[in-house]
């Protein structure tokens, strides 16, 4: 099969999988009237701890991919996080 066709098929497959999983997740969530919505008590400390976990995971992945690319003789350019 032509490489572009394989890439396109993978992208379409991933898009379909993402759409299906999003639809299933949305259908599984109970809906509440707006007057009954739960209020989450999230502090700045909670947000900082969550951001640290994301940063740690990002650093570990960048280190892993950089090492793997280096073994292949290529450079890995890490994406930025928003």
């Amino acid at each position: 099969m032509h490489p572009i066709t394989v890439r396109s098929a993978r992208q379409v497959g991933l898009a379909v999988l993402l759409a299906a999983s999003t639809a299933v997740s949305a259908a599984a969530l109970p809906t509440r009237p707006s007057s009954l919505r739960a209020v989450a008590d999230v502090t700045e400390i909670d947000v900082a701890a969550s951001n640290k976990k994301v940063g740690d995971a990002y650093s570990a992945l960048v280190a892993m991919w950089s090492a793997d690319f280096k073994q292949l003789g290529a450079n890995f350019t890490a994406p930025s996080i928003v």
Side-chain angles (χ1 to χ4, degrees):
M1 195 179 273
H2 195 272
I4 293 175
T5 305
V6 171
R7 185 180 323 137
S8 298
R10 286 182 185 156
Q11 289 172 345
V12 170
L14 287 173
V16 169
L17 181 63
L18 178 62
S21 66
T22 302
V24 168
S25 296
L29 295 175
T31 57
R32 298 181 188 161
S34 59
S35 61
L36 298 177
R37 295 215 171 141
V39 176
D41 293 323
V42 179
T43 66
E44 287 185 36
I45 293 171
D46 296 330
V47 173
S50 177
N51 287 342
K52 182 176 180 335
K53 286 181 184 180
V54 170
D56 290 346
Y58 173 80
S59 296
L61 287 169
V62 168
M64 179 191 73
W65 281 104
S66 295
D68 288 349
F69 272 63
K70 188 175 183 178
Q71 286 180 344
L72 296 171
N75 291 321
F76 174 71
T77 303
S80 59
I81 298 179
V82 178

